[in-house]
Amino acid sequence: MKAAVCHEFGKPLMIEVVELDPPQAGEVKVRLGAVAICHSDVHLVRGDWVNWSSDPPVIAGHEAAGVVEAVGEGVTRTRPGDRVVVSLLRSCGRCFYCSIGSPFMCEGKFALATEKRIHAQSGQPINQGISTGAFAEAVVVDQSQVVKLPADVPLDRACLLACGVITGWGAVINTAQVEPGSSVVLIGAGGVGLNAVQGAALSGAYPILAVDIVDRKLAAARAFGATHTVNSKHQDVAGVVEALTAGRRADYVFVTVGSPAAVTQGLGLIRRGGTVVLVGMPSAGATAPISIGDFVYNGQKVIGSNMGSTRLSVDVPRLVELYQHGRLKLDELITARYPLERINEAIESIEGGEALRNVIVFAEPGEAG
């Protein structure tokens, strides 16, 4: 199969023919139809996550959808021919976190965490970046990483459910559990931020203020449900927030970009008793200052949202149903579609800040030959 391989952080990915081993016990092989490019993938291939990510050679990509082609021994959740979303989230169903309903924090042991299923033609092992390695025509993942799709949901839209949608929407609905009528500020109107906007709109929040530095993204935020927008390059964000909240500032601020400056900004936008929700992943080692005394006195909270506190088998079907009934936007998230051979161009477009989500599209599984 073909894959886009990172041989050196910061260098262009190389399109190569690689070998994919058959799925082992509890694993499935999925022939991919589409994979979206997330900022986390960009962080990985640029070397921003040197303390967290796999070393080269590595295949990034973790926001995918396709058709199950083969299953290993003991697989019960899916079978060949199923159309599925493929996510980075693995869950064993038995550990402490799975048992308390937090499978997104699973600490179970998986063979795929140490064994290599992808090899160069020379035999050299290749790492699966972000637990998936989906910048390739096919992947082998744990069965817990896939969720079955209805036949009428296109794979290039469905792949967005694997990360960007569940992360943004889930931060609002699952992690923060925003109440109707709450005032919400969202810093960053990219792919994750727009899905947080959708979550806020579906929760009945008001006002919903989207903050960004790109006017086109702010226009998109209004289409996704923001009631107000502000370009932080040209306007006083704190002043706008105070004007919308009778001077109290916001009940919730969601920081959907991995920027220490954005986190610092968010900390100054919540009311007494308010909550800042950190969603975007920064470069390794990033920090932001907190005025401890102010937070104690004001009863404020800072919480992290790991992948939108997602339970894949619960949340993905809910999101699919919302999409089918016109309540969730997916089509509008896609800025452009590219073949695998143009993946470096697609990544550069993401880094430029204008794209929401660029999607790599393969031949429809079953037609690829």
Side-chain angles (χ1 to χ4, degrees), residues 342-358:
R342 293 175 59 199
I343 191 168
N344 290 305
E345 179 184 340
I347 289 173
E348 289 174 4
S349 171
I350 291 286
E351 290 182 297
E354 289 293 328
L356 301 177
R357 270 299 191 265
N358 286 334

Side-chain angles (χ1 to χ4, degrees), residues 104-119:
F104 50 91
M105 298 182 73
C106 176
E107 57 183 5
K109 305 299 182 184
F110 299 87
L112 285 167
T114 56
E115 299 175 8
K116 312 301 182 187
R117 300 283 181 263
I118 309 173
H119 304 271

Side-chain angles (χ1 to χ4, degrees), residues 19-71:
E19 303 295 330
L20 182 63
D21 294 341
Q24 302 302 303
E27 300 170 4
V28 299
K29 177 183 178 182
V30 181
R31 178 68 57 178
L32 297 183
V35 57
I37 299 174
C38 174
H39 278 283
S40 294
D41 299 311
V42 179
H43 278 305
L44 189 158
V45 302
R46 294 303 186 233
D48 297 335
W49 287 356
V50 292
N51 297 327
W52 301 337
S53 63
S54 303
D55 293 329
V58 60
I59 298 173
H62 64 281
E63 192 170 309
V67 176
V68 175
E69 194 168 79
V71 302

Side-chain angles (χ1 to χ4, degrees), residues 74-96:
V75 170
T76 58
R77 300 188 186 186
T78 189
R79 60 184 181 182
D82 284 348
R83 295 166 62 85
V84 294
V85 167
V86 182
S87 173
L88 67 96
L89 290 172
R90 294 175 183 155
S91 56
C92 68
R94 299 178 301 276
C95 72
F96 170 79

